[in-house]
Amino acid sequence: MTGHTLAAQAPGFLSPSGVEVAFLLVGIVTLGAALVTVTTRQLVHAALWLVVALGGLAVEYLLLTAEFIAWVQVLIYVGSVVVLLLFGLMLTKAPIGRSPDADSGNRWAALTVAVAAAAALVWVVVDAFRTTWIDLRGSPQGTTKVTGDILFRHWVLPFEALSVLLLAALVGAIVLSRKGHGESGEGEQS
């Protein structure tokens, strides 16, 4: 085989496909939305930017031909978690506009931890998948059957723990809103 045919068979960064370009562009938008989510001082805006970031992840899953995981991302995270977060904001009477107490003043410590965590995550992912290429024309790995088998054989406990965590967050928001309601009622009677 000649060098030209070997180069044409091996995937590379110098000849990206349309899917790879779309993946990169959606990744940049998702990263930008995530940065705005954690830097904005308006809690409702942060929740809405979180919707954009989580929706971008769902698009990334679609581009990786993991349709089931993409729809789970939309239904569970974009639908349930963000709605739960917004209900928590409403029930606890959190400020809707700018919130000066949303910033603790530890930006440099938070930035240091975030950069260290991101570097560790990138290192782990690159080390784990250094020589792995996803064949988009091959058999789909993100199908419902394959994902269901993996999810319900190996990941049942974390899946259920997440549902209990979400339930605890909702109950906590309700308890906090009831305490605030009861305190205002006692003040009006005095």
Side-chain angles (χ1 to χ4, degrees):
M1 297 179 96
T2 64
H4 180 66
T5 56
L6 285 175
Q9 292 175 353
F13 293 111
L14 297 177
S15 58
S17 67
V19 172
E20 292 168 340
V21 171
F23 188 86
L24 181 65
L25 292 176
V26 171
I28 291 170
V29 169
T30 303
L31 179 65
L35 288 174
V36 172
T37 299
V38 298
T39 57
T40 186
R41 291 186 182 205
Q42 297 185 3
L43 295 176
V44 175
H45 289 181
L48 295 176
W49 279 108
L50 182 62
V51 169
V52 174
L54 294 174
L57 286 177
V59 172
E60 297 283 39
Y61 288 132
L62 281 175
L63 291 172
L64 292 173
T65 67
E67 294 87 8
F68 178 72
I69 301 296
W71 286 114
V72 167
Q73 174 79 15
V74 169
L75 292 174
I76 301 297
Y77 289 104
V78 176
S80 303
V81 172
V82 173
V83 167
L84 183 66
L85 179 67
L86 290 174
F87 271 116
L89 288 173
M90 289 186 295
L91 290 173
T92 58
K93 298 176 184 167
I96 300 298
R98 287 188 169 268
S99 179
D101 59 344
D103 187 12
S104 69
N106 295 325
R107 286 182 182 253
W108 290 109
L111 182 64
T112 303
V113 169
V115 167
L121 181 63
V122 166
W123 180 74
V124 166
V125 169
V126 167
D127 187 50
F129 300 105
R130 183 175 311 225
T131 59
T132 304
W133 291 92
I134 297 172
D135 184 16
L136 297 177
R137 295 169 298 238
S139 63
Q141 295 295 314
T143 61
T144 306
K145 182 181 184 319
V146 172
T147 305
D149 285 344
I150 292 171
L151 181 65
F152 291 115
R153 284 190 189 174
H154 306 290
W155 295 99
V156 172
L157 187 60
F159 188 76
E160 291 302 320
L162 179 63
S163 64
V164 171
L165 178 69
L166 292 174
L167 179 64
L170 181 60
V171 170
I174 291 171
V175 167
L176 286 174
S177 70
R178 301 291 279 171
K179 281 184 179 179
H181 178 65
E183 291 170 359
S184 66
E186 292 172 2
E188 291 173 0
Q189 291 175 354
S190 297

